[in-house]
Amino acid sequence: MEKGLKKDLLGWLGLSSLFAFLLSAGVVFADEFHYRNFIPGERAAGMGGAYTAISDDPSGAFHNPAGLALIIGNKLSVNVNAYHVSDKSYVRVLPRTTGGADDWTLRSSGLVPNFFGIAQKFGPGVVGFSYAVTDSISRHQEQVFYNIKSRLPNRYISRYVININDEDKTYNIGPSYALELSEKLSVGATLYLHYRSARIIRNQLVTLDDGQFEWANGYRKNSEYGLKPILGLMLSPVDKVSLGFTLSKVYLFKSDSRIQGTYRGISSDGFGINRVDFAILTNKEKRDLPYETKAGIAYFPTRTFLISADLAYYTKTDDYEQVLNGAVGMEYYLRPSIALRSGLFTDFANTPKLKSNQTDQRERVDNYGATLSLSYFTKNSAITVGAVYVYGTGKAQIISGQTDIQNVRTNTISVFLGTSYSY
Amino acid sequence: MKSLVVLLILITIPILSLSRDYRKRAHHMEAETYGREDVEAEVMFGRELAVKIVGTYPLLRDRELTMYVNKIGKYMALYSNRPEVEFRFGILNTDHVNAYSAPGGYIFITKGCLMLVKDESELAGILAHEIAHVSERHIVKELNIRGESVVGLGGLSALLSGPAGTVEKTLSVFLDQAYELLFSKGYKMQQEYDADRIATEMLYLAGYDPHALKRFLQRIGNSEYRDQMQKTHPGISDRVVALDKFLSTNKLREDDGKRFEKRFVRMVRFK
């Protein structure tokens, strides 16, 4: 388990660390502490992910494969690109020698082609193939802070340099099949190959006011392979009402983690001058990921309006706490060729509440999101522009080995552009 | 988990005959507006399908009877919402009891079916039912037959008039799917119910007895031909129940229209 791996390295690296952000267990590399980092599909994204009971486009492969059987038309392809900017601020963690404190902010940004899907009738059912990016972090930043208080008596940090190069992405790719058992009951299944690839490079140099310095450099690589089957059911108990249910879980069959760390401490902490420590740690232990069960309801009162709601429950595992998330969404046609969509959703953390007098606890940030999109339809195609805003607050323990708990604030904005084509 | 499965089954049982038409959004309805090229493609496709149908059951060579069926059919077509389509009617020389429609207005009734009809209003009801399948574009929508953008080859018009080879094979696939729909798979249940309802409306508007189609269905339902008809249609008793409900809701009585029994007996004589 990577948590143990980090701790091992910290034990080796961080005993005398002055300000060990670098490999603190509390700092998230990818956002594995949340389950709803991206919402695949243009329509689903516009509706806040409240899509389990709709899912009648290729993104149904991800949200509820049974919905693929209900696609109107023969074939459809959807392609979505999203540009996202995410800021995570650890509030007042950098105490200035002149009084007050600064926030430490991590920023991730990038253009992510986060969904592609196609579906078409095949035999008695509908076959689909899709690709979805479910998590993506891309941080490349260099930061310098001056005149910060240190943990050493009568010493302060005159210059603190942090350089970060993080790339961490999770991909799902695979086929789906859906069958309409009757005009109001359909079933479907998707089998995704789950692949996660992460490369985290961090470098920090802490220079004290007397000229001593501490330097730490870490290079971490992670890769994960697994299968994610999704089973879906869609039914309609009464006219204009749809119910959707899904069950899924990621089964990891391979996981590799490797950390290379180099550390040079200061002499006042017991390090000899010019002593540099170096270690490589590897781990093949697999994360224990939860079962995900989703239930959704959608009401289609008219051709121009629909509302939907979802509940998603994630079971407790050895690594994560249980989570219940909700989402509501609506779609309204301003004109037959223009649809407005919006939604609200929660994205709660799967980590436990932080306790006092403990160290190296994982951060817990609960997110709340709002979405808005506009689609323009022509005879066989549609183009959609939209935005997702997520705000989160929570607690973290960013400094390794310390019992201090910090406040965390997150702001994420994603702007997406989607196209779909029916033929 | 076991109780969840039971709950799902219980929820599922009563829903097996409901429509999912409500999923269509405003832009789907907009996309369902059809232009001149689309209608041309539909007529060309229907003509090819009609050739396939006649290849299965030959046409009955009875000019007088065919003219009579055409008169009734064309009169009923006046009450459809497809004025741009020229409907044509033929009698298939088979004892099999059924009626068929191909896109573009090609309608067929079998000799076996005609022999079970008792009056002109029933014949009008059967033809109106088939006209409704065409006017509602049931096959056109199922196969997405359009004058443009069909399989990226420049439209169905191009398929039908284009060079030999791949395009012909593609057309052949479409025709096979439509043929399968007519002769083995059948239309969707809701489409059949819609066609029954529209046909009954047309009967009333045309001055025929609005109960005629229901009466004919009841006769088939009580005959040895019931199973034959139900191979490609929903249960006859369910259709009768649905029609009964529609007739009573709209207060449509048998004496709201004519049956023309004598004229029918005079005109329909098999040689």
Side-chain angles (χ1 to χ4, degrees):
Chain A
M1 172 63 212
E2 65 184 33
K3 189 171 58 181
L5 185 66
K6 283 180 203 163
K7 218 164 186 175
D8 286 348
L9 187 61
L10 282 167
W12 185 82
L13 266 181
L15 280 177
S16 60
S17 177
L18 294 172
F19 220 109
F21 286 174
L22 184 69
L23 292 165
S24 164
V27 178
V28 186
F29 295 128
D31 202 351
E32 66 190 49
F33 297 162
H34 296 94
Y35 294 120
R36 197 174 281 199
N37 299 313
F38 275 98
I39 305 172
E42 52 178 4
R43 196 173 174 211
M47 299 179 72
Y51 210 57
T52 307
I54 304 173
S55 293
D56 49 8
D57 66 40
S59 73
F62 182 89
H63 297 283
N64 183 351
L68 293 176
L70 307 175
I71 286 177
I72 294 165
N74 217 24
K75 299 178 185 178
L76 194 77
S77 70
V78 169
N79 190 7
V80 181
N81 285 279
Y83 180 77
H84 75 107
V85 181
S86 175
D87 279 352
K88 179 186 290 181
S89 295
Y90 297 91
V91 181
R92 298 173 62 81
V93 295
L94 296 165
R96 291 192 298 267
T97 53
T98 53
D102 290 327
D103 298 347
W104 184 50
T105 300
L106 285 170
R107 168 165 286 197
S108 169
S109 64
L111 183 67
V112 182
N114 81 330
F115 184 77
F116 171 77
I118 186 163
Q120 76 171 90
K121 287 178 182 168
F122 183 77
V126 173
V127 67
F129 190 84
S130 58
Y131 155 95
V133 175
T134 57
D135 193 7
S136 172
I137 281 179
S138 180
R139 294 190 187 112
H140 301 281
Q141 61 190 70
E142 41 83 23
Q143 295 169 306
V144 186
F145 302 96
Y146 296 98
N147 301 328
I148 301 165
K149 289 178 183 171
S150 85
R151 283 152 45 192
L152 297 173
N154 304 319
R155 289 271 79 85
Y156 70 92
I157 298 169
S158 59
R159 188 176 59 209
Y160 181 24
V161 176
I162 313 173
N163 292 334
I164 292 173
N165 281 285
D166 296 350
E167 289 285 347
D168 193 342
K169 289 185 170 60
T170 303
Y171 307 88
N172 284 175
I173 184 167
S176 306
Y177 191 73
L179 203 56
E180 192 177 9
L181 298 178
S182 78
E183 288 183 23
K184 292 306 290 178
L185 173 67
S186 61
V187 292
T190 292
L191 185 62
Y192 275 136
L193 172 70
H194 165 99
Y195 171 59
R196 179 184 174 192
S197 171
R199 192 189 64 219
I200 312 294
I201 306 169
R202 294 193 175 182
N203 192 36
Q204 78 171 21
L205 180 65
V206 181
T207 309
L208 296 179
D209 60 314
D210 64 356
Q212 291 189 89
F213 68 91
E214 178 194 72
W215 172 66
N217 178 272
Y219 185 105
R220 169 178 159 164
K221 270 177 78 174
N222 277 64
S223 62
E224 238 177 36
Y225 297 87
L227 287 175
K228 181 185 180 184
I230 307 172
L231 302 175
L233 179 75
M234 191 83 85
L235 50 86
S236 181
V238 292
D239 192 30
K240 297 180 179 176
V241 173
S242 172
L243 300 177
F245 303 93
T246 65
L247 175 66
S248 67
K249 176 180 165 68
V250 178
Y251 296 92
L252 295 178
F253 54 78
K254 188 173 185 228
S255 179
D256 285 312
S257 180
R258 183 179 190 274
I259 296 177
Q260 179 206 79
T262 310
Y263 179 76
R264 192 268 190 202
I266 58 172
S267 55
S268 54
D269 260 11
F271 262 67
I273 294 174
N274 294 329
R275 176 183 158 193
V276 176
D277 284 341
F278 173 80
I280 292 175
L281 302 171
T282 58
N283 194 308
K284 291 185 180 298
E285 203 172 329
K286 297 185 279 284
R287 289 191 292 154
D288 183 14
L289 294 164
Y291 283 97
E292 178 195 65
T293 52
K294 286 193 298 181
I297 182 167
Y299 177 49
F300 303 70
T302 67
R303 300 277 187 213
T304 57
F305 180 65
L306 77 83
I307 50 172
S308 62
D310 266 25
L311 280 177
Y313 175 69
Y314 303 84
T315 55
K316 182 176 168 60
T317 73
D318 290 344
D319 296 322
Y320 304 110
E321 297 296 306
Q322 64 181 3
V323 174
L324 180 66
N325 277 320
V328 291
M330 63 78 77
E331 178 181 70
Y332 178 68
Y333 280 76
L334 303 171
R335 291 166 47 191
S337 58
I338 298 178
L340 178 74
R341 301 186 185 105
S342 67
L344 298 170
F345 65 92
T346 65
D347 185 18
F348 296 136
N350 57 17
T351 47
K353 282 186 178 170
L354 277 74
K355 294 173 185 164
S356 55
N357 300 320
Q358 291 191 16
T359 61
D360 297 315
Q361 298 178 80
R362 291 177 293 171
E363 72 180 32
R364 179 186 170 90
V365 178
D366 288 333
N367 292 328
Y368 301 87
T371 64
L372 188 69
S373 76
L374 204 61
S375 288
Y376 176 72
F377 298 92
T378 60
K379 199 169 188 177
N380 291 320
S381 63
I383 183 163
T384 300
V385 290
V388 180
Y389 173 70
V390 179
Y391 175 76
T393 57
K395 303 282 185 188
Q397 213 161 37
I398 196 170
I399 303 172
S400 180
Q402 299 287 298
T403 56
D404 297 346
I405 292 175
Q406 297 83 30
N407 290 318
V408 187
R409 202 172 49 229
T410 63
N411 280 288
T412 302
I413 296 176
S414 298
V415 179
F416 62 89
L417 178 68
T419 54
S420 64
Y421 187 60
S422 163
Y423 48 98
Chain B
M1 184 57 94
K2 198 174 173 183
S3 56
L4 180 66
V5 171
V6 171
L7 177 67
L8 288 178
I9 290 169
L10 287 174
I11 292 171
T12 305
I13 288 169
I15 63 160
L16 298 178
S17 63
L18 296 176
S19 166
R20 65 173 170 92
D21 188 59
Y22 63 78
R23 280 184 175 270
K24 281 186 184 169
R25 303 288 82 205
H27 77 275
H28 291 123
M29 309 310 285
E30 184 89 337
E32 283 179 8
T33 54
Y34 292 81
R36 187 176 54 81
E37 287 178 352
D38 298 320
V39 174
E40 284 173 0
E42 178 190 347
V43 172
M44 282 190 278
F45 182 80
R47 192 181 302 147
E48 295 288 325
L49 183 58
V51 169
K52 245 174 125 65
I53 293 170
V54 172
T56 306
Y57 299 127
L59 284 171
L60 182 73
R61 300 291 173 191
D62 185 331
R63 193 165 176 271
E64 205 175 328
L65 186 55
T66 303
M67 278 180 65
Y68 173 64
V69 169
N70 267 274
K71 271 184 188 170
I72 308 303
K74 284 176 186 287
Y75 174 62
M76 293 308 294
L78 293 174
Y79 296 92
S80 81
N81 58 359
R82 298 291 303 273
E84 77 282 15
V85 171
E86 185 184 351
F87 284 87
R88 297 172 174 85
F89 301 84
I91 304 163
L92 299 174
N93 193 4
T94 170
D95 292 334
H96 195 84
V97 176
N98 217 329
Y100 306 98
S101 56
Y106 297 91
I107 311 276
F108 300 95
I109 183 170
T110 64
K111 182 181 158 190
C113 186
L114 207 48
M115 289 171 80
L116 290 172
V117 174
K118 296 291 185 196
D119 59 52
E120 192 174 293
S121 66
E122 290 181 7
L123 172 62
I126 296 164
L127 297 178
H129 175 95
E130 297 306 321
I131 289 169
H133 281 309
V134 175
S135 67
E136 294 303 300
R137 293 185 171 90
H138 287 156
I139 289 180
V140 169
K141 288 174 184 173
E142 187 70 19
L143 302 179
N144 199 21
I145 296 166
R146 289 283 190 163
E148 58 180 54
S149 303
V150 176
V151 296
L153 292 170
L156 193 63
S157 312
L159 274 179
L160 292 166
S161 57
T166 310
V167 286
E168 282 183 351
K169 282 180 189 164
T170 311
L171 171 63
S172 170
V173 170
F174 278 152
L175 285 170
D176 286 347
Q177 287 178 0
Y179 186 84
E180 188 190 5
L181 205 72
L182 293 177
F183 286 88
S184 57
K185 202 171 153 190
Y187 289 103
K188 288 180 175 163
M189 286 164 70
Q190 190 59 44
Q191 291 173 336
E192 291 291 357
Y193 289 128
D194 288 346
D196 284 346
R197 178 181 50 76
I198 292 166
T200 299
E201 283 172 349
M202 289 165 69
L203 282 171
Y204 174 72
L205 292 171
Y208 283 114
D209 169 11
H211 286 242
L213 181 61
K214 187 192 85 173
R215 193 167 57 247
F216 176 75
L217 289 174
Q218 282 174 318
R219 189 175 311 124
I220 295 285
N222 294 326
S223 75
E224 61 193 285
Y225 302 106
R226 187 185 62 187
D227 293 343
Q228 202 180 95
M229 179 71 88
Q230 288 183 165
K231 273 171 75 177
T232 54
H233 289 76
I236 287 178
S237 55
D238 292 339
R239 291 173 69 187
V240 169
V241 167
L243 275 178
D244 253 338
K245 192 178 172 190
F246 177 73
L247 288 162
S248 64
T249 304
N250 291 282
K251 298 185 172 60
L252 298 176
R253 300 191 321 229
E254 287 185 72
D255 57 5
D256 279 342
K258 305 278 188 189
R259 293 189 182 184
F260 296 111
E261 193 173 357
K262 286 180 185 169
R263 185 163 73 189
F264 179 81
V265 171
R266 193 171 64 245
M267 296 302 296
V268 181
R269 288 180 182 168
F270 293 102
K271 292 166 185 172

